[in-house]
Amino acid sequence: MLIIISLIAFVLAALWAVMTRSLLRSAIALALTSAMLTIVMFRLRAAMAAAFELSVCAGLISVVFISALSLTHPLTWNEIRQHMKDRLSRFWYLPVIVVVVGFALFFLKVTPEFKLPPAEIEKDVREVLWNLRQLDLIGQVAVLLAGGLGVVILFRDKEKK
Amino acid sequence: MNTLALTMIWPFFICIILVAIIGLYCLLFTFNLIRALIGFEILMKAVTLLIIVAGYASGQSALAQSLVITLIVIEVVLVTVAMGIVLGLHKHYKSLDVRNLRNLKG
């Protein structure tokens, strides 16, 4: 039951992140989406990935978004009014599409009893990550280095003449 | 993956499809660069859940988790660099609206 509630909350939080006017609320809704996804992943016996999702996506990415928002200037009242009218005309279709597609998919294949399959003996994720997916780790290090270099280049000050 | 497993994971697929629609819609219809990044993030959440559910249903949960960890690392780096580019554009144009970013003279 908890997993169904978490799935519904996951979709609703994603919808809120897109529909809300304020970008700050949008960033908070994104963190909430990550938190709901963490619960679902934890229930699907993916505890390590869930911990990563919670610490990195709900924590670090929210901090990045909120920091970026604090560095941008807020809109004036006239801009907000124009923006709201403009946004409403573009975004009011989304809840309708989500509800229609959700109902269509739900009635396409109804599941009267939802239950998880029994636990299986599986490999340890650390064993898979460190022994079988070593190339992925090298790729991760390369991506992190490239990202770090990119941020340094993007945020460096212009040299004084 | 047998039919029974498919029946059990059907609610997950409904949510994955709905969240992917929400993310894609946001990417297609927004003019704000930060909201476009939020749409991208939502799309990535749908992909993350898809990988985890696929790993769960096929009994390869450890492999799915290692892939998700890689995905999260790439996602973070991409968002950070994209945010740096967005802030650079905001500094230059004083706007986050993509309709104002049509000048590629540098």
Side-chain angles (χ1 to χ4, degrees):
Chain A
M1 193 61 194
L2 175 69
I3 204 162
I4 295 289
I5 294 169
S6 307
L7 279 173
I8 293 167
F10 175 55
V11 177
L12 290 178
L15 194 62
W16 183 38
V18 174
M19 291 301 291
T20 185
R21 185 190 61 79
S22 160
L23 280 171
L24 186 63
R25 279 187 211 143
S26 207
I28 293 166
L30 188 67
L32 192 65
T33 313
S34 282
M36 291 302 122
L37 181 59
T38 301
I39 296 172
V40 175
M41 284 161 82
F42 194 75
R43 296 286 293 172
L44 290 176
R45 298 191 204 100
M48 192 168 270
F52 257 79
E53 176 74 28
L54 189 64
S55 61
V56 178
C57 291
L60 183 66
I61 290 185
S62 300
V63 171
V64 169
F65 271 110
I66 292 169
S67 309
L69 286 174
S70 69
L71 292 173
T72 57
H73 73 277
L75 297 175
T76 61
W77 180 240
N78 280 338
E79 282 174 329
I80 287 173
R81 266 196 299 190
Q82 182 57 39
H83 179 66
M84 276 175 73
K85 211 184 288 178
D86 188 32
R87 253 185 74 73
L88 201 67
S89 64
R90 279 180 286 129
F91 276 87
W92 74 270
Y93 300 101
L94 182 59
V96 179
I97 292 172
V98 168
V99 170
V100 169
V101 174
F103 270 104
L105 290 171
F106 184 75
F107 287 112
L108 200 67
K109 194 160 190 173
V110 182
T111 52
E113 280 187 22
F114 177 72
K115 55 181 180 181
L116 296 172
E120 293 169 17
I121 299 165
E122 287 178 352
K123 284 181 186 169
D124 188 15
V125 63
R126 286 167 294 187
E127 189 189 317
V128 173
L129 192 62
W130 291 105
N131 296 334
L132 294 175
R133 311 294 301 178
Q134 284 171 338
L135 210 60
D136 285 8
L137 290 173
I138 296 168
Q140 283 183 34
V141 173
V143 167
L144 279 171
L145 286 174
L149 197 65
V151 169
V152 167
I153 290 170
L154 284 168
F155 284 99
R156 81 176 160 191
D157 292 328
K158 286 179 183 171
E159 288 177 15
K160 288 176 185 174
K161 288 179 182 175
Chain B
M1 197 192 312
N2 56 25
T3 319
L4 190 67
L6 256 181
T7 315
M8 284 177 187
I9 59 174
W10 187 246
F12 292 98
F13 279 131
I14 295 176
C15 288
I16 289 164
I17 292 167
L18 292 181
V19 174
I21 287 172
I22 293 168
L24 266 177
Y25 194 96
C26 183
L27 270 177
L28 287 174
F29 286 92
T30 190
F31 293 125
N32 189 301
L33 283 167
I34 292 182
R35 204 177 288 277
L37 273 179
I38 288 173
F40 168 79
E41 274 288 310
I42 290 171
L43 202 53
M44 291 297 270
K45 303 273 173 259
V47 174
T48 304
L49 185 57
L50 181 63
I51 293 173
I52 290 292
V53 170
Y56 181 79
S58 61
Q60 301 272 339
S61 189
L63 182 63
Q65 283 189 74
S66 68
L67 285 176
V68 164
I69 289 168
T70 309
L71 182 83
I72 288 171
V73 170
I74 293 169
E75 187 181 332
V76 169
V77 171
L78 199 143
V79 166
T80 312
V81 174
M83 203 57 88
I85 294 170
V86 168
L87 287 176
L89 287 169
H90 180 264
K91 203 173 166 184
H92 190 74
Y93 290 100
K94 305 288 176 208
S95 169
L96 289 173
D97 198 322
V98 285
R99 288 168 292 188
N100 299 330
L101 310 177
R102 289 184 177 164
N103 189 358
L104 290 175
K105 284 179 192 167

